[in-house]
Amino acid sequence: MSGTSEAKELSLLSKVELRIALADSDAKLELVLKTYLVPLLLKCASEHLAVRNKVISICQHINARIKSLSIQLPVAALLSQFKAQDVPLMRHMDLLYSQQGIGQTPSSERLKLLSIILNGFATDLARSPTDGASLFNLFLKLLPSISLPLKGSKEDGELRETLGLNHEPKDAACIAQISSLLILFTTSHRSAPTEPNSPTTCPGLTPKDYTFLTLGKVDTWDSSKEGGLNLTEIKMKLLDFLSSGAFKDDERFMAAFFASADVNSRISEPGDAILKRSLPKVSLNDKHIVERLYSLYFGNVEAPPVRPSLQIKIIGLLSRSKASSSFPGYVTQLVERGLSLSQPEPRVSAGREAAKLREAIFSFMNWIGRIGSPSDLEAIAPNLVQRLRSYIEEQGWPSAVGDTQISKENTLRGLAYQTLGTLAKASPKKVLLDPELELLHFLFRSLSEDASGGNISVSIEEALGAILNCFADNLTPAMGEKMRSLLQDQAQLEVQEESTSHQTFRIVRSSKYTATRYANRALLYNDLVARWINLLGLFNSKSEIIEEARRGLDPYWYRMLNPSSRGLRADSEKHSIEVSKYSFPGFQDAVLSFFSGSERGIRLNLNDISYEGRKVNATGPAVSFCRGILVYQALSSSAKALQIDANYERRVDAALLTEESNRSTIHEFINSLEVGSLRDQQALLAYTRAAFESIGLDNGKIGEEYGGHFAEMCTLLGDRTLSHIATEVEKLQESILSNRFHIRSVASSAFGVLGSHPVCTEEKIEWLLTSYLKRVDNWKRAIGAEINQVHGSIVALAHLFSRLHHRQRIQGGISAHYTAYIGLVLDVLSGSTDNLLLDGCFSALEQLCLFGALSSGQIPTPYDSGTIVEKVASKAKAGNERAITALSRYAMIYDEVDTLPQGEVAFLSEITKRMYDLHELRQPEVHFTVGEGLSCLAVGWSSKSLLSALDIQGLPPPMAKRHNTLELILDHVLDDAKSTKPSLKKASVIWLICLIQYCGHLPPIQKQLRQLQVTFKSFLSDRDDLIRETAARGLALVHERGDRELKEDLVRDLVGTFTGTSANLSGTVTRESELFAPGALPTGDGSISTYQDIMSLASEVGDPSLVYKFMSLAANNAIWTSRAALANFGLGNILADSDVNGYLFQNPKLYSSLFRYRFDPNSNVRRSMNEIWTALVKDPNEIIERYFSEIMEDLLRTILGKEWRMRQASCAAIADLVQGRALEKYEKYLNRIWTLGFKVLDDIKDSVRKAAMKLCQILSASLVRIVKTGSSSKRSENMLNKVMPFLQSQLEASAEDVQLFSLTTLLDLIKEAGSALRPFIPDLIERLLGMLSSLEPQAINYLHLNASKYNLTEEKIDAERLKSVRSSPMMEAIEKCLDLLDQPTMERFIPRLESSIKQTVGCSRVLVSLSTRHNFLFRSYADQFLKSVERAVLDRNETISSSYATAAGYLARLASENAILTVAKFAERLYFEAEDEKHRIVSGEIVYAIAKYSPDRFAAVAVDFLPFVFVAKHDSSEPVKEIFESTWNENVGGSRAISLYLKEIVALAEKQLDSPRWVIKHTSALSIAEIASSSAGQLSVEDGEIIYRALEGAISGKTWEGKERVLEAFVEFRKRGKKLLDSKPEIDAEMKKIILRESKRNNVIYRRHALVSLGQFALSCELDLFTDVQAVVSKLLHELSAASEEMDIDSTVSGEASSKSMKSITIANALLALHRSIRIPSPAADSDVPEDLFKRISQSLELTRPANAAGATVVQLAVCEGVQEVFGRLEQIVTKGLFATVEAEKASQGYLELISELGDGVETFRMKRAVLLETYSGLMVRGGLQSEELAARKHQVKEAWLAMERASSVKAVLERV
């Protein structure tokens, strides 16, 4: 049975074999194989060996028959059988024939084959990797011929299904994975690195992968071999296939990524395009992807690492992946290998690539430091930081060694520092917080000593800044000590010019600023070292260090710099919980550390510190700092802690100066220190002494700012502490006599306290008094600085005597001195005119009277109280505040009396009257002094203005009697307030608030509070701003001074008055009454200021009575903030008692109007309305949410209101309302907001337009944010559908602002919108292109029209315009839009773009972008646009035309060959038919662009371009010539290219010789001339004839400029065309006729060149031309001699010779041609010397001698040259009897005479003349000439020349003759 089966099978095979054998043609064989080949191969599975052998035998026969390329094999059936069977032999044969037949498969069937190959590919590969490799190779061979559907089309979307890849996703993934390996594959391979004999591979591939892709054959990728593949083309086609719909983004991602890093731009560009589309859909946090990227970067045992360019790309991707940090081992290895200097990364070349790789590594480490998890960072940060330190140190540290100016190296060093900081910040516990703070020391030393170039310090500071906040709350005590030591050192480092020793680096930059920052953030507020650093920083010359130091000293700013970790703002509430880091240092600790230097071992010296090259003393600032600590500690101990806020310093001042309760608390605290422990006493004494010493520091400069602190302390200290200072009172003398006014005042105050102290003996006091009285006594003679000393002495003595009187120590000798002093003061007061001395007298009166030291009885004669009052009052009336104060204090010594004896004056009343009279003063500030004086005059020491005046412990001095003075003054001022006199009214209201402020605690004021309220209220309607402001302030003070019941009554009465209800107080408000504080609500046009305006506001709400409740909401004005005592009060206190909240809830309409007024244009209105809003609306968010619709509707109604203020406020209010709010809240209003906002953008008022712009910007930002966060969502699409049409329509708005904003918004949307923007792209790009030029400034158009005025050209301007267009944001947006194109959008976009080409300038750039970055989508349209460009390049603007020519070059990359040929013909036609130069330039630019930007396409059709280019490069116009020459030179490899295209060039040039355009005719002729002259070697007969006929046509016709070059080529052709002339002798005769014809031309310029060519032709020609040349020359010489002196030429032509020289040159050239035409046979010739040779010579001499005799030097030179050439030719044939004939002798005689007639000329000419004579002599001797006569004549000539010759070289030649 088995045998029968075998026989059957063999029989069948025999039949098949017979059929194959009988197929006697390829067609028949193809038919047989289609039927029987697959079944035949099926028999390979037979169990019988004979059958299998028979199959193999038949296959061998088939193999011999199918070598013809026309036979098609059944490849589809073969592949199907391969897939279905498992028999290895059968599968091998199937593959073998598939590989042979795939090339002949029709295109229509190839997609089917592709489907067969791809289906089940993963299974095939798993079954047999070898077969899989062959199958993949088949796929690659098939790929180039596959026509893929258009990207984005329906067919493209269904391609995956068409190819069957949907059924088994593994197949697509497998193909994509192998494709990515092919992208990595390179043919320039090397062995794997691990073993010397390892298999061949390439970067990124294992040997197995390499073998798979090459099939184990060398020739697989050699395109020159049969069946070999072109690697670049396959990669490009493979990328095209991967970008199709057959693959998903995650499948194609890796291949695209690899391609994007390829060095070949043809691969990298499409790779980039695919990557951009696929990257957003791929998760970079996929650990499998991240691990593969790491694996590719490092390589493995088998595969070497990928190329450096791809490594850089890999790091870039890893720097975008959070998962990359979860591989600590890889991260560490990457850094170690990348940063190693001694062992650089394998295969990384030095230079830019290595620098880029390291830069990428630094960026990667920064990324890791920012996003890595704490656990990962703890694992890797220490190693990375250490590696970075090593990297820096290896370069040289602290300063880099070598060339520190290499910018790239410096950049990398800077990045290393920055990265170090980022990583250290990410894991501070492991890196930063070591006991020694090593890294911090390293960075600080780097900052101060690293002298590397560039911005290295910026990088180090950035690193230090990154770790700045890592130390707060984390320092152990030991670390704290290290930190303090480090910062102390750094704070005192000074920049050095050079290092102090050879072992250390010099300090190159200061680290003080960074040290100060660290002191403020790393150390606690109570750390005294940190505060010491701050104190030093105050003396720095740099403002940023001073500012940082001040922040460190100020507790408020310290808290701002160091917010609480619990989120509690320490300044938010007065009684907020203190955290330890905000606690103040102890007063005792600070004082003893700063001023003693021994506290806790800390040495913080403040005296004479060397700082910035000078000595500084920081005692003054330290005293001020300790002063704040003292106040805070004192008040905190009694639960009165000061609120820490921005006004902290003012609060400290107020606590010490004006707040009685606080002063009392501080006084008690100081007393406790005085009687406390020894340490407390030492601290208090040290502080007091430091304050005392600070008065005179730095010659008073420091004392001027800080010296007053001692005077403050004197008012609080007891005598016990001051006793230690009082003994040094004499030290104040320098300050008292200082030239600084403030220092004198401060020192005088201290002098009074200390000098009067009990420890000062009477003798010492008398000594002091004597010393200063002497200076006062010298007041009449004092000038300059002496006046200052007199002033200081007067004031100091006044303080001393007043305090001595208070201590009851004026007695004995002191009393005598006092009497003398009183007399001197009154002498100065009455006799001096110096204002400073008078000021001292006023101060003296003030102090003496204040302490009761002066009485009326002590006034010596001839002075009296009246005189004093008159003198002081006169100065007071002039506005002298010191005089006013003195006058009021002088009144304090007089009692209040009801009656006086006759003749006596009531001085208290008199002085009070004088004080009233000061109302006429215009300065408001002065009236505060008057008001303060009235309070002292009325109640003496009971006035709170004197709270800090008592600087001696004990009760105040007794004062004069007062009963009802205060009542009288108050009544008088109230009466004056009713006056209509403006000045009196203004003064009265100020005096009233002073009386309330300083005497408000006394019963007389308390009783009059209601009346005071009425008075102040009446002032609210005054027109004077200051009066209204003061009245508003007065109402607040009245409210403050009352008790609870009174406060309620006042509020009720105030509200009742304005609401029209019954009122207890009189007073009215008119329609013009300004209900708000005038300083807060003056609007300029009356808006929201008067009663009537407020009524309008209330009317909107619907409740007119509501407005009166706002009376209590007036705001403070700046005038009140200028005085510490009044700064913290306002009418807001009334609001606290006003129950209006409930009322507001009943009137919700108010909120919409009130919300709008918060954004009023006037700052005062805004501030006041914000105060109202804040006070009345406790929860703004809840109110806005509740009434959002009402508020929005109101704002949309008022945004187009009549008042500009309303429109502006509405814009700002809407902007605030929508900002940060969810879109759903205002989505229904969005269209209205946009529409109205754009309307207001065109408002007539500039400020309104700005507000509208801000609104639109907020809407725009919101829109962009929404689109960005949901670019693919339905919501963003709906938003864009609503907004985009509106924004696009506004691009054509008439208002420029509207246009610009719409454009800006669209640009922002384009950046972020993504695919949601796709439906709008066609219209959007068209509009943007249209606006590229329309938005240009008008100045550009003006400049374009007036270019010549500014030494510019229109071309330069246009070039810059085009350049700006290319780099403009709009073009960037257009590029972004282009990136979003898909096939359907492209189809809609193409017609828009085509229409835009005719109208806009930027389309050329779009075409370039489409051709390079979007070639997949755009390829099918390239031909269409290449045709459109033909029209665009004809634009009148040359720059635009040039840009479109460039676009044509890029379009050619994608266009078909026919389209390129069409462009070639267009360029050729444009050139040859051009009427002007412009179009010829355009033609050249088109060709040049195609050659430059599409070189491969240009090379493919070079035969159509290069002949034209060759012809055009001979254009007479230099710009045209230049561009065509560039094209030729860059695309031709040598002169042989002319031979290659000779026929085409000649044909084209010959055709254009008949052109009606002279430029074209000449260009063609010149191109033919170059062909004729540049041909190497002898021309063939065929080429010679082609060239000759063209040359003949080129040289015919009349002359033209440059034709001589054609004639020269004609002569040159004669030399190289011998083969042609030999075969066609008649041509030689024709050429003779032509050359003679040309030499007879009448054009004098051309003729001189033609004569030269005639001579050259005569030399090269074998014909005898002498007779013809003689005739030409003879006629010419005759004509020239007969012609006039001037030749008929234009001698003014640039570059041409004058007519006279032209004549000489013409004669010279003619004679030279004549001599060259004398035919002398060569020595090799068999013929004898012609009989008529010497006859012809004689004939030539007959023409030469006359011309030579009359000619110029140029003629004689030509004669020399011509005769020398004749002699040279004669020497070649000379024999002994050559000159033996009579004719020869005659010729010889003629030559000698000709030579003798040569002139002298220059040495060069004389040398030629001598050489000629020498040649003649030798020739005659060798020719046998024996004439003695000629010899004598020759000797005569020689001697004559020798006698005249001066040059030795010439003489030497002559002597040889």
Side-chain angles (χ1 to χ4, degrees), residues 485-505:
S485 176
L486 171 64
L487 297 183
Q488 273 187 283
D489 293 341
Q490 295 296 323
Q492 297 179 86
L493 279 182
E494 302 294 343
V495 177
Q496 302 167 351
E497 292 298 327
E498 56 185 25
S499 57
T500 56
S501 77
H502 66 281
Q503 295 179 338
T504 61
F505 289 85

Side-chain angles (χ1 to χ4, degrees), residues 910-1093:
E910 178 64 20
I911 294 173
T912 305
K913 180 178 179 301
R914 297 297 183 106
M915 295 286 285
Y916 293 153
D917 292 342
L918 296 178
H919 72 270
E920 296 178 354
L921 294 173
R922 295 182 177 274
Q923 301 91 336
E925 296 82 4
V926 174
H927 288 295
F928 287 99
T929 304
V930 177
E932 182 185 351
L934 287 173
S935 70
C936 294
L937 180 151
V939 297
W941 283 94
S942 297
S943 172
K944 289 189 176 182
S945 65
L946 299 178
L947 195 61
S948 60
L950 184 61
D951 49 12
I952 296 177
Q953 294 299 309
L955 296 174
M959 59 176 290
K961 298 177 182 179
R962 296 288 187 270
H963 301 292
N964 58 355
T965 303
L966 179 58
E967 289 91 332
L968 294 174
I969 291 176
L970 183 59
D971 291 340
H972 187 278
V973 175
L974 286 171
D975 289 339
D976 288 346
K978 300 174 184 178
S979 171
T980 58
K981 189 175 182 180
S983 61
L984 183 57
K985 185 161 51 174
K986 181 187 297 184
S988 299
V989 72
I990 295 176
W991 297 345
L992 283 176
I993 64 168
C994 289
L995 291 172
I996 299 173
Q997 180 70 29
Y998 300 125
C999 306
H1001 59 291
L1002 299 175
I1005 299 294
Q1006 290 286 317
K1007 294 177 182 178
Q1008 295 278 19
L1009 286 178
R1010 292 179 182 273
Q1011 183 58 40
L1012 286 168
Q1013 187 209 23
V1014 172
T1015 302
F1016 285 133
K1017 189 183 69 173
S1018 67
F1019 287 137
L1020 292 176
S1021 60
D1022 197 274
R1023 296 184 178 184
D1024 189 285
D1025 292 347
L1026 180 62
I1027 293 177
R1028 294 197 302 270
E1029 292 169 359
T1030 309
R1033 181 63 181 171
L1035 286 174
L1037 289 174
V1038 169
H1039 181 271
E1040 180 186 344
R1041 292 298 183 268
D1043 56 22
R1044 187 65 188 173
E1045 182 181 355
L1046 179 59
K1047 289 179 180 179
E1048 292 178 358
D1049 290 343
L1050 289 174
V1051 171
R1052 191 181 305 110
D1053 185 66
L1054 181 63
V1055 173
T1057 300
F1058 286 105
T1059 55
T1061 59
S1062 58
N1064 296 328
L1065 304 175
S1066 61
T1068 59
V1069 176
T1070 67
R1071 292 174 63 85
E1072 299 302 322
S1073 296
E1074 301 205 18
L1075 301 182
F1076 289 91
L1081 301 177
T1083 62
D1085 59 0
S1087 177
I1088 320 179
S1089 63
T1090 66
Y1091 173 84
Q1092 183 176 356
D1093 296 326

Side-chain angles (χ1 to χ4, degrees), residues 136 150 180 381 448 507 608 869 897 1034 1094 1353 1358 1361 1366 1527 1541 1599 1762:
F136 186 72
L150 293 175
S180 68
S448 60
I507 307 301
D608 296 329
V869 170
V897 294
I1094 299 301
T1353 62
D1358 288 332
R1361 292 168 77 179
R1366 288 171 179 169
T1527 307
Y1541 303 108
T1599 59

Side-chain angles (χ1 to χ4, degrees), residues 597-634:
S598 59
E599 180 68 13
R600 296 184 297 176
I602 300 176
R603 298 184 62 188
L604 301 176
N605 182 32
L606 293 171
N607 297 322
D608 296 329
I609 307 169
S610 180
Y611 191 78
E612 291 198 325
R614 68 185 193 278
K615 295 291 185 180
V616 301
N617 191 321
T619 300
V623 168
S624 180
F625 177 67
C626 292
R627 168 178 176 261
I629 297 174
L630 173 65
V631 172
Y632 187 85
Q633 189 171 333

